[in-house]
Amino acid sequence: MESGIAAPGSPDALRLAAQNALELPLLRQHWLDRCAHIYARRYVSSLNPAVSAQEIRQRLERSAALQQRLADTPGMPAAELPDITDLVLLASRPAAVLTGMELVRVRRVLELAAEYARFLTAAEDILSSDAELLAPNGVLLGRLQSGLDVDGVLLDSASPELARLRQQLRIQRAQVQQQLKGLLQERERRDIWQDPHVVQRGGRFLLPVKANFKGRLRGIVHDRSASGETLFIEPLAVVEQNNLLVELEAAQRQEEERILRSLTTLLGSEAERLQLALQRMGRLEAVRAGLELGAVWDGTIPLLRDSPSFCLRALRHPLLVLRHGSAVVANDLALGSEVKQLLITGPNTGGKSALLKAVGLVHLAGYLGLPIPAEGELGYFSSLYAVIGDAQDLQADLSSFSGQMRQVRDLLAQATSNSLILLDELGNGTDPREGAALAQAVAASLRDRGVVTILTSHMAVLKRYALREDGVLLGGMGFDIEQLRPTYRLQLGRAGASQGLLIARKIGLPDPVMALADAIHAGEQEHWESWEDRRDALLRAAEEQAARAQAAAEEQDRLRAQLRREAEKAAALRLRAEDEARQEWQKMLAEARSQVRAAIAGLKQGRDTQAASVTLDRLDQQLASPSSEAQALPAPGTRGLFLPLRQVVEVRRLDASGQRLQVDLRGKQLWIPLQQFQPDEKLALPKEQGRSQYVAPEEHPWRLDLRGQRRDVAEAALLRHLDAAVAAGRSQVEVLHGKGNGVLAELVREFAEQDPRVVAWRMARPEHGGGGVSELELR
């Protein structure tokens, strides 16, 4: 949440105005209502959407991780907690002593923190790093649990000394009361008691004596009743015992204060760590509450692009879904890559402003880490500005138009190519021709600066501008003429008519009025037919492109199916050959064993030993493994494949005794075992010394490993890999670049954005390599 008061016209003021216009405070309140405790509500209230892309990704990653945890093992603790922030701060001060009830409040928070810590240790993800911080000090929590009851009263188990003192107190009280009860039962004094019961005043046990019998009992008068008829006397016989009782109670209080001070000091030593733990508890609960809110609109955790462009499918307005549920119409919208500007037209209450606000609000919600009511990817915009609604300000003597123009002036001064601008009904509130001219000029200025912009308007001038200019997309909100109601469906490439004349005629305005309106409107529309023709041509081109894309997708499916059938056939043939070889070997082995047994039997019977020796030699040659022979060393200059890295190398030197050879690999001289070299003179060395030769791995033929390569080498290998994948009809390839310093990952991302054959680029899921692997979707 923005803090402080931003100067008018400043970026912070514009961002805050946009958040208010998009009703982010209302969305935030729905989030707050689902938070279980004060620490989560503080976190949500302080959360700012205007942060770096790295921080946004971490927020989304935490939401995705917790969503997965709750799906696997439901049961994350969520309970109301007392606010102990001030108590922790107080405990850190010298000589501070918290009460037992205050320490019970601290104990409740520490117990939930321990539950959080156990929950976070159940899996390894971005949330796991908080487990150690949230795990409370075991000594502190143990002493609070064993030393205090639910009402904050110290238990005997708080310390051995406290237990001893309390035991002595119980014994001493019993002795004093027993002695006083003995006096009450003496027959000669039965008539002097106002009430035959032992009472306590000021920590001392006394007897109630009638005032007129004061002389019948020797003792110390401690109190008198309001009526004056009763005296509360401490008999001399129990004075010493009462004195001992008072001393024991004082010692007990001192021990209790010592225990509370010790607990407070121990808490104070944990103050800094506990303050941070409270913030992390708030963040964890806030993420849970955000997932609960996102479930109401069936939200998904979006991906965040590095660029100021987005692609959203089934987009709905979050607040409308909370109000109307599944009745809210979803739309698909992508902007910022090739097309930077969108003009939405259509009738009043047709959904133009709602769609405009939905784009802005889902970006803000995603930046806060919330699931959004859409699928796809958000763009990263360093600033999001909006001019929506009536900007009239009577205090500043500004009309609606003047207020809107002031906002537009400030916006134009701050907008950059990394901004997202939302303009609703720009140019309204003044002469339509002048307003239209201003609106078109503002739109053209933002387009020329490459600013991603969405506008809504009824003006025909802006419709013609959208059809005429490159990089501008026209869209219209659908309208059901028969039912006289909007469909809320965005139709790209088509202008949404205002339908004012049709609605007026259906409602029943007089015929003369409608005839005059038709005539005036016809005069304004004399050149519209040419724009209609251009629109239809654009629609036909888009439909043809969609048909070609569908045909290409079907061809890719066919090739994938063919490749899968061939792979299955090859696997079956390999298994059959292995089975046949195994059976043949078993047959040969059985025959050999039979002949050996016959030879041994002949030797035992004294037969010809020469014949037995010949038989054994023949069997030895027949069963000898061909691999047992030493492999011949290749000559220097022989080219071949270094099998572990699938790189083309050339033999430099030989070591016959060690059965190894020296090769040149990427400019480095490397000794390798002979078994790791496969001679192949058909292979060509790279053009430059040390440059790698691309060879697709056998186990993962469409995963390219670039780790350890120079940027130019990796780029060439990536291009060849993509050529091979497209030729084979692949729809997706994987590139293993590792995490490291990010140079190769950046290379892959730039390559994916520039190569027209790549439809989409994304990091792999954690189980498939995460940030070390990129996945490229191909046309």
Side-chain angles (χ1 to χ4, degrees):
M1 181 176 293
E2 305 286 355
S3 59
I5 300 176
S10 66
D12 287 343
L14 292 174
R15 275 194 289 264
L16 185 58
Q19 293 172 20
N20 290 332
L22 295 172
E23 299 183 276
L24 179 63
L26 180 56
L27 182 66
R28 196 190 297 266
Q29 186 58 52
H30 283 287
W31 191 1
L32 288 168
D33 293 341
R34 287 168 169 78
C35 293
H37 50 66
I38 183 64
Y39 309 107
R41 290 188 284 273
R42 283 179 181 160
Y43 176 80
V44 172
S45 297
S46 66
L47 212 55
N48 184 0
V51 294
S52 67
Q54 180 181 5
E55 174 62 24
I56 294 171
R57 287 194 177 92
Q58 289 178 351
R59 292 173 180 177
L60 294 173
E61 187 177 354
R62 279 191 287 268
S63 295
L66 185 57
Q67 186 180 62
Q68 184 62 49
R69 281 174 177 259
L70 294 176
D72 295 339
T73 55
M76 172 183 163
E80 182 62 64
L81 289 176
D83 185 4
I84 65 168
T85 306
D86 292 339
L87 296 180
V88 174
L89 180 61
L90 177 61
S92 63
R93 296 175 180 171
V97 179
L98 299 183
T99 66
M101 201 61 222
E102 289 171 337
L103 289 171
V104 167
R105 293 166 60 189
V106 173
R107 181 179 69 189
R108 177 69 190 97
V109 175
L110 295 182
E111 288 173 343
L112 187 64
E115 293 183 41
Y116 278 146
R118 285 191 292 271
F119 176 78
L120 294 181
T121 55
E124 285 292 333
D125 52 35
I126 190 174
L127 301 175
S128 304
S129 59
D130 287 342
E132 183 177 354
L133 175 65
L134 292 179
N137 184 309
V139 174
L140 174 60
L141 180 57
R143 290 186 60 184
L144 290 175
Q145 289 175 330
S146 64
L148 291 164
D149 65 11
V150 294
D151 297 320
V153 177
L154 285 170
L155 300 172
D156 291 355
S157 55
S159 78
E161 178 63 14
L162 181 62
R164 185 188 66 80
L165 289 172
R166 286 182 174 177
Q167 177 64 18
Q168 289 184 356
L169 274 170
R170 285 190 289 269
I171 295 173
Q172 186 64 22
R173 288 193 186 101
Q175 291 177 350
V176 174
Q177 290 178 356
Q178 183 178 4
Q179 189 170 353
L180 292 175
K181 287 178 181 178
L183 294 175
L184 289 174
Q185 294 173 0
E186 291 180 357
R187 297 186 60 182
E188 61 273 16
R189 293 193 175 94
R190 287 182 180 179
D191 55 343
I192 74 172
W193 312 122
Q194 189 67 263
D195 183 16
H197 292 92
V198 178
V199 298
Q200 193 172 17
R201 291 287 191 277
R204 305 179 78 87
F205 289 104
L206 313 173
L207 294 176
V209 179
K210 295 175 183 178
N212 55 341
F213 290 105
K214 174 182 178 182
R216 296 274 300 274
L217 180 66
R218 297 181 61 191
I220 302 171
V221 178
H222 284 268
D223 201 359
R224 179 186 296 270
S225 67
S227 64
E229 296 180 356
T230 305
L231 299 176
F232 298 95
I233 299 176
E234 179 183 16
L236 293 178
V238 298
V239 169
E240 289 301 324
Q241 291 180 321
N242 267 333
N243 288 342
L244 179 58
L245 187 62
V246 170
E247 292 175 2
L248 288 173
E249 288 176 344
Q252 176 188 248
R253 287 193 299 273
Q254 291 177 355
E255 177 62 13
E256 290 174 346
E257 183 177 0
R258 185 197 66 78
I259 294 171
L260 294 177
R261 180 178 289 106
S262 173
L263 291 173
T264 302
T265 301
L266 183 56
L267 174 62
S269 66
E270 292 284 307
E272 184 176 351
R273 178 172 177 266
L274 188 53
Q275 291 282 15
L276 183 57
L278 295 178
Q279 296 175 12
R280 297 298 171 84
M281 289 172 65
R283 185 174 71 183
L284 185 60
E285 168 56 21
V287 174
R288 186 209 62 79
L291 293 175
E292 180 182 316
L293 176 61
V296 177
W297 55 57
D298 194 23
T300 60
I301 309 296
L303 297 175
L304 181 71
R305 293 182 173 181
D306 292 324
S307 60
S309 64
F310 63 87
C311 179
L312 297 172
R313 300 178 298 278
L315 168 65
R316 295 158 292 149
H317 193 295
L319 296 177
L320 289 181
V321 177
L322 291 176
R323 195 176 308 147
H324 302 294
S326 59
V328 178
V329 176
N331 284 289
D332 298 343
L333 186 58
L335 201 64
S337 296
E338 298 179 359
V339 178
K340 298 287 186 181
Q341 200 168 89
L342 169 66
L343 173 66
I344 306 176
T345 60
N348 288 326
T349 69
K352 302 188 303 298
S353 298
L355 180 57
L356 181 83
K357 291 181 178 180
V359 173
L361 191 54
V362 298
H363 272 85
L364 293 177
Y367 291 176
L368 295 178
L370 288 172
I372 64 171
E375 297 178 356
E377 300 176 339
L378 297 176
Y380 176 64
F381 299 96
S382 58
S383 55
L384 192 157
Y385 304 137
V387 178
I388 299 174
D390 191 354
Q392 186 180 62
D393 188 347
L394 298 179
Q395 299 291 333
D397 196 23
L398 292 175
S399 66
S400 298
F401 178 74
S402 299
Q404 185 186 73
M405 288 300 102
R406 175 169 290 187
Q407 289 181 329
V408 170
R409 177 200 64 190
D410 296 337
L411 179 151
L412 289 173
Q414 301 295 341
T416 69
S417 59
N418 289 319
S419 300
L420 174 61
I421 306 296
L422 308 174
L423 302 174
D424 190 29
E425 301 292 355
L426 184 62
N428 279 4
T430 188
D431 178 89
R433 290 174 299 176
E434 293 182 356
L438 283 169
Q440 184 174 344
V442 171
S445 174
L446 293 172
R447 179 207 62 203
D448 294 342
R449 292 158 61 179
V451 181
V452 179
T453 310
I454 304 179
L455 309 92
T456 67
S457 180
H458 292 283
M459 299 176 182
V461 171
L462 285 181
K463 298 177 185 178
R464 291 194 289 271
Y465 158 79
L467 286 173
R468 182 181 65 247
E469 301 295 338
D470 293 333
V472 183
L473 181 62
L474 178 64
M477 304 306 295
F479 188 83
D480 188 334
I481 298 178
E482 296 300 326
Q483 299 292 329
L484 285 182
R485 61 182 180 83
T487 64
Y488 306 109
R489 184 76 63 186
L490 177 64
Q491 299 172 323
L492 295 176
R494 300 185 180 184
S498 298
Q499 305 294 348
L501 295 176
L502 178 61
I503 294 173
R505 182 173 284 108
K506 290 277 188 179
I507 291 175
L509 261 65
D511 290 341
V513 174
M514 294 306 306
L516 180 58
D518 287 337
I520 295 173
H521 183 256
E524 297 287 338
Q525 296 295 106
E526 55 183 289
H527 297 300
W528 185 247
E529 290 79 4
S530 63
W531 299 108
E532 288 283 325
D533 292 341
R534 182 172 180 181
R535 180 201 67 189
D536 293 340
L538 291 173
L539 288 176
R540 285 194 298 271
E543 291 171 356
E544 291 174 359
Q545 185 175 5
R548 288 195 296 271
Q550 178 64 27
E554 292 175 355
E555 178 65 15
Q556 287 183 359
D557 291 341
R558 185 189 67 80
L559 292 174
R560 278 196 296 268
Q562 180 180 352
L563 181 61
R564 183 171 58 255
R565 289 193 300 269
E566 291 177 355
E568 293 173 352
K569 181 178 179 180
L573 290 173
R574 184 175 64 253
L575 291 175
R576 186 170 64 185
E578 290 176 354
D579 186 59
E580 291 176 352
R582 186 182 303 106
Q583 293 178 1
E584 180 66 21
W585 174 253
Q586 291 175 350
K587 180 179 178 182
M588 290 175 58
L589 189 60
E591 292 177 353
R593 287 172 176 168
S594 176
Q595 295 180 31
V596 167
R597 283 195 292 270
I600 292 174
L603 291 172
K604 290 181 177 180
Q605 295 174 5
R607 298 179 183 173
D608 187 3
T609 58
Q610 181 64 29
S613 177
V614 170
T615 300
L616 292 176
D617 290 342
R618 178 173 51 82
L619 290 175
D620 183 56
Q621 294 176 0
Q622 183 178 355
L623 298 177
S625 173
S627 60
S628 61
E629 297 180 3
Q631 183 176 349
L633 290 173
T638 303
R639 291 190 300 275
L641 198 61
F642 178 38
L643 296 177
L645 297 182
R646 309 293 294 177
Q647 300 291 320
V648 178
V649 295
E650 186 177 55
V651 176
R652 297 296 187 189
R653 298 171 59 190
L654 304 176
D655 180 9
S657 61
Q659 285 289 295
R660 61 176 187 159
L661 46 88
Q662 187 185 63
V663 297
D664 186 85
L665 178 64
R666 301 178 191 165
K668 297 181 179 180
Q669 304 302 313
L670 179 68
W671 284 98
I672 64 172
L674 179 61
Q675 294 79 4
Q676 294 181 358
F677 178 76
Q678 178 180 314
D680 190 344
E681 292 295 335
K682 297 179 180 179
L683 296 178
L685 289 172
K687 294 181 180 180
E688 287 185 76
Q689 186 68 17
R691 176 164 298 217
S692 64
Q693 175 71 23
Y694 164 71
V695 179
E698 295 179 353
E699 296 182 356
H700 301 284
W702 302 112
R703 170 178 280 197
L704 174 61
D705 189 350
L706 298 179
R707 292 176 299 178
Q709 298 189 23
R710 298 194 310 272
R711 182 184 175 95
D712 56 340
V713 177
E715 185 174 4
L718 179 57
L719 180 61
R720 291 192 294 273
H721 188 69
L722 196 64
D723 291 340
V726 172
R730 294 286 299 182
S731 62
Q732 176 178 316
V733 297
E734 297 178 356
V735 181
L736 177 61
H737 46 66
K739 298 180 181 178
N741 56 16
V743 173
L744 293 180
E746 180 66 16
L747 164 67
V748 175
R749 183 187 68 78
E750 293 176 357
F751 182 93
E753 291 178 350
Q754 296 172 3
D755 196 305
R757 296 171 296 178
V758 180
V759 178
W761 166 88
R762 59 177 176 270
M763 288 298 184
R765 293 175 61 85
E767 61 269 26
H768 295 156
V773 177
S774 290
E775 296 178 349
L776 306 184
E777 295 289 339
L778 308 181
R779 296 186 184 277

